[in-house]
Amino acid sequence: MAERPPMPTAPELLVETDQGSTLVSPSRDYHVGRDPLSDIVIDDSRVSWHHAVLHPVDGHWTVQDEDSTNGTYAEGHRVRTWDVGPGSVIRFGNPADGPRATLVGRTPPAPARPARPSAVSMPSATGTFRQPTSVRPLPARTVRIGRAPDNDLVVDDLIVSRRHAELRSLDGGGYEIADLGSHNGTYLNGRPVDRVPLAPGDIVGIGHSAFCLVGDELQEFVDTGEVSLDVQGLAVSVDKGRRTLLDHVSFPVGEKCLLAVVGPSGAGKSTLLNALTGLRPADEGTVLYDGRDLYRDYAELRQRIGLVPQDDILHAQLTVRRALGYAAELRFPQDTAREERRERVAEVIRELGLEQRADQPIHSLSGGQRKRVSVALELLTKPSLLFLDEPTSGLDPGMDRSVMHMLRGLADDGRTVVVVTHSVLSLDVCDRLLMLAPGGRIAYYGPPDDALAFFGFEQWPEAFEAFENDRDRDWAGTYRRSPFHERYIAGATRQPPHTDADRGGPVAPPPTAQSWGAQLRTLVRRYAAALSADRTFLAIMVALPFVMGAMARALAGSTLDRETAMNALLILCVGGVLTGAANAVRELVKEHVIYQRERAVGLSRSAYLMSKVVVLGTVTVLQAVVLTLVALAGVDLNAPGGEGVLMPPLVEITLAVALLAFTAMMLGLLVSALVRKEEVTMPLLVLLAIVQVVFCGALLKLDGVAVIEQLAWLVPSRWALGAMAGTIDLGRIVPGDLTKDALFEHSAAIWLLDMGMLVVLSLLFGFLVARLLRRHEPAIMRK
C-alpha cells in the first residue's frame, strides 16, 4: 500500500497593519479584532470585538469572518471564507477605506544561527523573547554589566547593582558570567550563580534583562512588562489526595490583560493565587511566565511579580511617602542612591494619583486610598505580573469601581493584572473572566460580557446561588464541550504542554539577601518610626513603669523589712513581666501579612526578628530601669552590710528586673508567633502574668516539690525573684519555709545562676520564635 504524501504546511506570513506587524506561523489560528487580547488588534470602531480568524489549512491560509457587524472584504467583495497568501490585502469594516491587513511572505531564517534560548518555550510566542532589544558582537575581553554609567554594558534598572556582574572571555575559548556581589543576584537559566561558564542559548538574568549568546552575538532581551502567562494543568490536593482544591486548571492570559477570578467560597481562588505567584507551587502542572517555567526560575522571576494581599501590607502609622521609602530601601540594592529611591517613590505616587496624600498617615486614608498605597508598594520594582487578592473587599460601590478602573489603567500601561474578587460590580472593565466552580474546576473562561448568558442567568446572584445549590452539576464538563473552551483556552494557548520532567529539578527558593546588616538597619529605623508614631503605644510605654513603680514604692515604704520585702519584690516581678510581655505580645501576629510578603521578596528572617529584639529590647530595658528606680530609689534595701552579692544592691536588682523584662519580652514574641489572631493576645497576656505570679516562688513553696519545681524552671520570674532575693538575703529578712529556697541564697554562684538562666530562657524563646515564624512564610521560603 502506497504511503500517503505528507500534507503541505502553510507558509509563515507577516501580517502588516497600521498598528504594526505580526508573524503568523501555521501551528495555530490567529484572531483579528478590537479585543486587546486578539492576536492581531485593530483599534477601529468599524471593526468588531471579534472580527475574523486567519486559519492555516492544507498548505495555505484562509480568512474567516466571525459574523462581524461591518464585514470582511477581499478584492472589493465581502467574504465569509477566503483563501489568502503572500500579497493578499484584507479590509475590515469597509471595502474602500476600512483598516487593512497586508500579508507578506517571510523568508525562513538560516539554520546556522539558532536563536532559541534554552530556558524559554517558543520565544516567538513571548513578549520578551520575540525580538532582541539590542544585539552586540561578543567581546574579546571582560565586559562589566551594571547600573552605573561607567559600565561597559549599562542596565538602567534600579534592582540592578551599580557593578553587578562581568562577562569574561576564557583563554580556551567560550565565556563565563561572574556575579560581583550584587544585591539581587545574577542568574543562569533561572538559578542564582556566582561564577559559571556559558553555553550557547543559556539565559543570563540580571534584573529585568536577559542576555543570551547566539552565534557570535550577545543578544539582550528586556522584560518591559508586556508578558503572557500560560497556566497548564494546575492541580492541588490536601489530606493525602483525598480532597482536591484545584483540579487540573489550564488557561492563557495575554499581554496587557486584566483577568478577574471569581467563584463561590471554597472554589479554590486563594489556592490558585498562591500557585500562580509561586508562593505555594501546585502539586502538578506548570505556570509559564512568558515561556519560562515560573517554578523552576522562581528565584529570578520573583522580582517581576507583585502581590497585593487582601490585608494592607504597610505600617499604618507611617505616612505614605515614608512607608514607600522604607520599602524601597529593602527592595533596591544597597548602592542605590537616596535620590534614586526618592525619585522612584515619587514616580509611583504620581502614577497612582496619591500626590495629595503623600505626607498623610496611612491609617487616616480611606479604604480605596490604602489599597492604592499597597499597589504603589508593589509597583516600586516595576513588576510585569500584578496579582491582587480581594482588593475591593469592604469598599463601597464607588470605591469598588474606582479601584477596578485603576487596575484597568495599570494593565493598559503594559502589565498583566490578575485580580481575585467576590465583587461583580465592575467585571465589565476586565478583558477576561475566570469562574471557578466548587472543587477547583473551570466553569467559565472568556469575556465577562458573555458569562451570564453562558450560564443561562440574568443576574450574578442567581449564578452564585446555582453553584451553591447544584454542586453535583458538571459545570466544568459543560464548559469543556462549549465553543468558549475551544476559542479562549484550547485555541488561544500559544505554549506547548510542559511536564514536571521539563522542570529539571526541585523548585528553588530565592537566595537569602546578601546584605543582612543593611536590612537590619532599615528594619530598625522603620520599626522605631512606626512605634514613635503610635501615640497610644507611646503613652502606655511611658505610663506603665511609673504606675507599677509607684505601686511597688507604696508597698516598700522606707525600708525592706519583714512586712514589705516580699511584696515589693513580687510587684517588681509582675511589673517587669507586664512591661516586657505587653510590649511584644501583638507585634508579630499583627504584621504577619507584611512579613509574609516581604519574606517572599528576599527579607531575611533573622534580620526581621533581630529588628524586633533591638527596638523592643531597648524600650523594655529602659522601662525596667525606670520601674526599679521609681520603686526603690532612696529605699533602705536592708542588704547584708549594705552590700549586694557582686555590686551595689540597687544595681543588682535593677539588672535583674531589666533582664526579667527582656526575657518576658521574648516570651511575648513567642506568644505572638504562636497565635493566628491578634484578638487572643490580651487574654494570653493576663494568663501569662498569673503564671508568673504563681510560679515565681513568692506565694508557693517550689524548692523540693517534684514536677512543680521543674515546671517553674521555664518561668522567668522564678529566676528573677531568686536573683533579687539573693541580693538582699531575703531568707534573713523574712525567715520561714517559703524563703528557705536554694535559689534565694546570698552567694555569687547562685546569683549568677539566676541571671544566667534568664539569658538561657531568652535565647530559647528567641530560637522558638525564629522557628515559628516559618508558619507565616510562603511555602517556597520554608526550605
Side-chain angles (χ1 to χ4, degrees), residues 560-569 638 698 725 728-741 744:
L560 296 184
D561 54 24
R562 182 167 186 162
E563 301 296 328
T564 63
M566 181 68 82
N567 290 335
L569 297 186
N638 200 10
I728 64 173
D729 194 5
L730 186 63
R732 174 183 57 85
I733 300 174
V734 186
D737 290 340
L738 194 62
T739 57
K740 290 180 181 178
D741 195 315
F744 291 2

Side-chain angles (χ1 to χ4, degrees), residues 92-106:
F92 305 96
N94 189 287
D97 62 354
R100 70 178 182 177
T102 304
L103 277 59
V104 180
R106 183 175 182 269

Side-chain angles (χ1 to χ4, degrees), residues 257-271:
C257 174
L258 175 56
L259 167 67
V261 181
V262 299
S265 298
K269 299 187 297 297
S270 296
T271 303

Side-chain angles (χ1 to χ4, degrees), residues 30 46 102 134 150 205 248 263 270 274 301 337 344 355 396 416 565 583 678 717 746 767:
Y30 288 81
R46 293 168 293 180
T102 304
S134 66
D150 60 351
H248 297 89
S270 296
N274 287 333
L301 298 179
R344 181 59 189 151
E355 299 99 320
D396 61 57
T416 300
N583 287 344
E678 190 177 344
S717 62
H746 183 74
F767 172 78

Side-chain angles (χ1 to χ4, degrees), residues 150-162:
D150 60 351
N151 286 288
D152 303 299
L153 203 165
V154 178
V155 180
D156 186 16
D157 186 346
L158 280 183
I159 66 174
V160 174
S161 297
R162 294 183 67 82

